[in-house]
Amino acid sequence: MLDRAQAPSTEEIREVVMPLAGLEGPLLPMLHALQDTYGLIPEGAVPVLADLLNLGRAEVHGVISFYHDFRDHPTGRHVLKICRAEACQSMGGNALAAATLKKLGVDWHGTTADGAVTVEPIYCLGLCACAPAAMLDGRVVGRLDEDRMGKLLAEVRA
Amino acid sequence: MKIYVPMDSAATALGADEVAEVLAREIAARGIDAQIIRNGTRGMIWLEPLVEIDRGDGRIGYGPVTPADVPAILDGSAESLGRVEEIPFFANQTRLTFARCGVIDPLDLDDYAAHGGLAGLTRAIAMSSAEIVQEVADSGLRGRGGAGFPTGIKWKTVAEAAADQKYIVCNADEGDSGTFADRMIMEGDPFTLIEGMAIAGLGVGATRGYVYLRSEYPDAIRVMRAAVKIARQRGMLGADVLGSGRAFDMEIRQGAGAYVCGEETSLLNSLEGKRGVVRAKPPLPALEGFLGKPTVVNNVISLATVPVIFEKGAKHYADFGLGRSRGTVTLQIAGNVKHGGLYETAFGLTLGEVVNGIGGGTATGRPVKAVQVGGPLGAYMPVSKFDTPVGYEEFDKNGGLIGHAGLVVFDDSADMLQMARFAMEFCAVESCGKCTPCRIGAVRGVETIDRIAAGDPGAADLLTDLCETMKDGSLCALGGFTPFPVMSALTQFPDDFACQKEAAE
Ligand SMILES: Cc1cc2nc3c(=O)[nH]c(=O)nc-3n(C[C@H](O)[C@H](O)[C@H](O)COP(=O)(O)O)c2cc1C
Ligand code: SF4
Ligand code: FES
């Protein structure tokens, strides 16, 4: 992802977002498309989107920064989202999260030194009846304990 | 032979994909004539992955299944759960909204129609707009997204508004901890939601719909997108819905990780491509909603319940329930509980019956300490309130709220001061920033609770005042209702707030 994130050109950015220009309320779909393509919202996207949608640059910036999903910096090769919400807490989610962060030597939103994993908090995955839960690159896992978490991490750090 | 292995994300989170893979391999190796169907979940999450085998005489269940169990299941030597429909947790439910969920292949429209699907829409097509709205009003259906507002009244407002374009927007942001009914139906029976939205479109005169679906649910997004495509190909959506000569089409839109976007006006802003800031009401979204046009905003379960109301009639639905809470409630039993899952039943059971009876008490086997009902803005109910019947007014009278009907059970190891702190922290993280009592108050709330924990004698009163300010001075329920979990923790579990200093010493 890092390589692809190296400043795409205005042309490349337009190519990603133009097919969505006919939608009602196209900005969020465009931002998702950009992030799916580059792993982040490239710096150069703001003027392109502002121009295309007839918005101020500050306005586009404001939208990007409002949402937890959109980021302006790359992640590690994998993203581990650990649920921090109540149902997961009731099943020992806090301790599991703390142990995982410690083991990886990162804080929330941090990326391991080897660039393998970024850990992010998430508030509920709808897996509250099989808590604690997490999502690794879009793959959900439930009823986690330190052992299962260790296996997951071993997979991505191998 | 038919073999069912759920593809619901709770099942896959517990290993259903691996089980399905091994099953496929074993079937091929043994040369068995069998078809694997990836269904939704029945909702008995503690039994997932729940594999069902139909050898022609009913569906026999096995679960929770690991890949290693597969050979014995195919040999017929594994111990079974018997007929799945006869498992008490399942058999005792009144499944109306979830009648097909876990039963059919979610993306098989013929299977859907064979199980009562499309009957509601077909009936609605023969009715006038006013009759459709009246049918919903007569059913007594109230919004299942939290506020419990009568759906029929909302639809009437939109139906009577004059505009060149109207919209149906489905709120699939389901951000509350302890809730997964929306996800479950979208993954397990997506055509029900599509059918409900189409009926809503016919009822209010809207030709376009959107499902605002949270990004935390990639599987639900995938299933819903596939279902919309199939519905369009088969003429359930489009310019001529089921040959009615009337148009309705819809799109799935992905949220971007903001809890507040579940609030309907924030959601509309987000759908329009703006920051998800809450709008002041009036104007009501029913009159000036998406892009300023009259818009129905309804929760997934509200809309997914509409088809069965039209299939069986408003009276059939309204005959279930308690007081002004008509029909069924889709309870989501979660957290530290033995039998967690989705349980659809008529309103009226008591909280205790749900937690101890249906849920079987805690998963850890320790005593129940508290149950948070209605998500992060809902109160913590102590065991002393377990005789509260599940009904909107009944919960309100007991200082609680049903919200989206999620219940999160905690055992006696829970620290209620920490839970109160989390409620404030969550409000601070997710605040849209529009009102000071919410944006700043929640941050102060965290600090104040830390002072209580440190033994500051005046801090509890300060917290109470702060909660009053948040209640009075917040535009929406994020700032306005965060005081519910906080104050319920403080007043119902005072020991957790009083003993902090001694405990720390
Ligand atoms: C902070 C906040 C979050 C909300 N989140 C949701 C949600 O995730 N899903 C939902 O259906 N309603 C949610 N609501 C309620 C909606 O504002 C609205 O009442 C609902 O979508 C109306 O649909 P209904 O009448 O079918 O329930 C939320 C409200 C607030 C204040
Ligand atoms: S209460 Fe909070 S989330 Fe709601 S409008 Fe005010 S600042 Fe926004
Ligand atoms: S609270 Fe963690 S999955 Fe719902």
Side-chain angles (χ1 to χ4, degrees):
Chain A
M1 263 176 204
L2 255 177
D3 300 342
R4 279 185 294 150
Q6 300 281 308
S9 70
T10 300
E11 269 322 297
E12 287 168 323
I13 290 169
R14 286 182 69 91
E15 225 164 273
V16 173
V17 301
M18 276 310 283
L20 303 166
L23 298 180
E24 293 180 310
L27 184 49
L28 255 65
M30 287 178 170
L31 291 171
H32 276 301
L34 287 168
Q35 188 150 301
D36 287 348
T37 308
Y38 301 110
L40 48 68
I41 308 295
E43 184 59 44
V46 173
V48 177
L49 292 170
D51 187 42
L52 200 66
L53 303 175
N54 213 1
L55 298 168
R57 290 183 186 194
E59 219 170 319
V60 177
H61 252 304
V63 172
I64 296 170
S65 63
F66 182 86
Y67 296 97
H68 298 302
D69 277 6
F70 302 128
R71 47 178 167 254
D72 57 6
H73 53 277
T75 61
R77 290 188 295 283
H78 302 276
V79 179
L80 174 67
K81 298 184 176 178
I82 305 179
C83 178
R84 295 190 70 189
E86 289 91 339
C88 286
Q89 292 187 40
S90 77
M91 288 299 282
N94 283 343
L96 176 71
T100 307
L101 291 171
K102 187 164 173 230
K103 192 165 159 194
L104 294 174
V106 295
D107 203 345
W108 292 113
H109 305 288
T111 302
T112 52
D114 60 0
V117 199
T118 301
V119 185
E120 288 183 347
I122 196 162
Y123 296 93
C124 195
L125 289 159
L127 302 172
C128 329
C130 53
M135 182 154 75
L136 180 65
D137 300 331
R139 181 178 127 213
V140 287
V141 259
R143 221 169 275 151
L144 274 167
D145 51 25
E146 281 195 44
D147 187 48
R148 285 197 69 193
M149 183 67 96
K151 284 188 187 129
L152 269 187
L153 292 174
E155 263 176 54
V156 297
R157 305 193 81 183
Chain B
M1 181 160 81
K2 283 183 176 166
I3 306 178
Y4 296 84
V5 187
M7 60 157 209
D8 177 275
S9 36
T12 56
L14 297 170
D17 286 346
E18 290 77 3
V19 169
E21 248 169 65
V22 175
L23 267 166
R25 233 183 300 142
E26 279 285 317
I27 289 167
R30 295 176 184 211
I32 304 174
D33 178 23
Q35 180 194 3
I36 297 180
I37 297 164
R38 301 302 301 268
N39 54 334
T41 176
R42 298 265 190 173
M44 296 178 279
I45 306 301
W46 79 97
L47 293 177
E48 292 292 354
L50 171 67
V51 172
E52 296 174 45
I53 302 213
D54 186 351
R55 294 184 165 89
D57 55 350
R59 286 160 70 158
I60 306 298
Y62 301 86
V65 173
T66 65
D69 299 330
V70 166
I73 291 174
L74 290 176
D75 292 343
S77 63
E79 203 186 320
S80 87
L81 300 161
R83 283 173 198 278
V84 175
E85 274 94 1
E86 290 169 10
I87 298 174
F89 185 98
F90 193 80
N92 295 334
Q93 297 186 44
T94 301
R95 286 219 163 190
L96 297 178
T97 310
F98 280 82
R100 282 174 296 264
C101 190
V103 177
I104 63 166
D105 174 344
L107 291 174
D108 184 338
L109 191 55
D110 298 320
D111 209 6
Y112 176 74
H115 286 81
L118 300 181
L121 179 55
T122 306
R123 184 172 159 232
I125 284 171
M127 295 163 82
S128 72
S129 164
E131 284 168 346
I132 292 174
V133 172
Q134 192 57 44
E135 186 80 0
V136 173
D138 290 346
S139 74
L141 178 68
R142 291 166 69 176
R144 301 289 189 240
F149 188 81
T151 307
I153 294 181
K154 189 181 282 187
W155 286 23
K156 190 162 189 272
T157 309
V158 178
E160 288 172 356
D164 55 345
Q165 181 71 54
K166 301 180 193 178
Y167 295 98
I168 308 297
V169 170
C170 171
N171 187 341
D173 204 48
E174 195 167 64
D176 290 357
S177 167
T179 64
F180 46 84
D182 297 356
R183 180 186 63 64
M184 209 176 121
I185 200 121
M186 288 188 290
E187 292 178 358
D189 192 16
F191 292 121
T192 299
L193 175 57
I194 295 173
E195 184 176 348
M197 289 180 70
I199 295 173
L202 296 177
V204 306
T207 53
R208 251 185 245 176
Y210 290 95
V211 179
Y212 185 90
L213 216 171
R214 65 199 299 253
S215 61
E216 291 86 342
Y217 286 175
D219 295 312
I221 292 173
R222 200 164 47 239
V223 177
M224 281 306 305
R225 288 206 165 129
V228 166
K229 212 168 170 184
I230 294 166
R232 208 175 279 144
Q233 281 163 356
R234 299 280 304 268
M236 181 184 176
L237 290 174
D240 183 19
V241 173
L242 294 188
S244 64
R246 291 150 82 184
F248 186 77
D249 210 336
M250 57 187 278
E251 252 178 66
I252 310 300
R253 286 290 174 86
Q254 185 176 346
Y259 175 75
V260 74
C261 287
E263 195 285 331
E264 57 186 5
T265 61
S266 160
L267 185 153
L268 292 170
N269 273 336
S270 183
L271 205 56
E272 289 177 9
K274 300 178 183 148
R275 295 161 60 92
V277 176
V278 173
R279 299 177 185 171
K281 285 186 265 190
L284 289 173
L287 297 174
E288 289 179 42
F290 183 56
L291 300 173
K293 304 292 183 184
T295 303
V296 167
V297 184
N298 269 139
N299 168 258
V300 174
I301 299 299
S302 312
L303 288 163
T305 300
V306 167
V308 73
I309 290 172
F310 281 78
E311 180 195 344
K312 305 216 165 178
K315 184 170 182 306
H316 179 85
Y317 190 76
D319 279 348
F320 295 98
L322 164 80
R324 287 176 47 218
S325 306
R326 307 314 314 168
T328 55
V329 57
T330 50
L331 298 166
Q332 297 131 83
I333 309 171
N336 193 335
V337 68
K338 196 166 161 203
H339 296 156
L342 182 123
Y343 195 94
E344 181 174 358
T345 186
F347 282 96
L349 289 177
T350 67
L351 179 58
E353 284 169 327
V354 176
V355 173
N356 291 322
I358 300 164
T362 64
T364 46
R366 300 171 63 108
V368 174
K369 179 165 182 175
V371 184
Q372 187 177 31
V373 186
L377 309 175
Y380 284 99
M381 305 287 278
V383 175
S384 61
K385 294 192 176 183
F386 267 21
D387 54 0
T388 309
V390 178
Y392 293 103
E393 283 69 29
E394 292 72 13
F395 255 67
D396 187 48
K397 255 186 272 164
N398 281 287
L401 59 96
I402 292 187
H404 194 36
L407 293 87
V408 179
V409 181
F410 290 82
D411 74 10
D412 63 351
S413 67
D415 178 347
M416 300 312 293
L417 179 139
Q418 286 305 325
M419 297 320 297
R421 186 184 191 279
F422 177 79
M424 283 292 190
E425 194 187 346
F426 184 74
C427 181
V429 171
E430 299 296 339
S431 170
C432 86
K434 190 153 177 163
C435 0
T436 319
C438 170
R439 189 183 70 236
I440 309 288
V443 178
R444 293 282 171 274
V446 174
E447 293 164 6
T448 311
I449 293 171
D450 285 343
R451 279 170 58 187
I452 298 177
D456 181 339
D461 287 343
L462 210 65
L463 182 64
T464 308
D465 287 347
L466 183 66
C467 281
E468 280 306 313
T469 308
M470 288 175 71
K471 257 191 215 169
D472 296 340
S474 297
L475 186 58
C476 86
L478 182 47
F481 282 24
T482 293
F484 273 98
V486 174
M487 288 308 295
S488 60
L490 179 66
T491 56
Q492 305 293 331
F493 305 93
D495 291 355
D496 287 9
F497 291 78
C499 304
Q500 290 300 311
K501 195 168 184 200
E502 292 111 82
E505 272 166 5

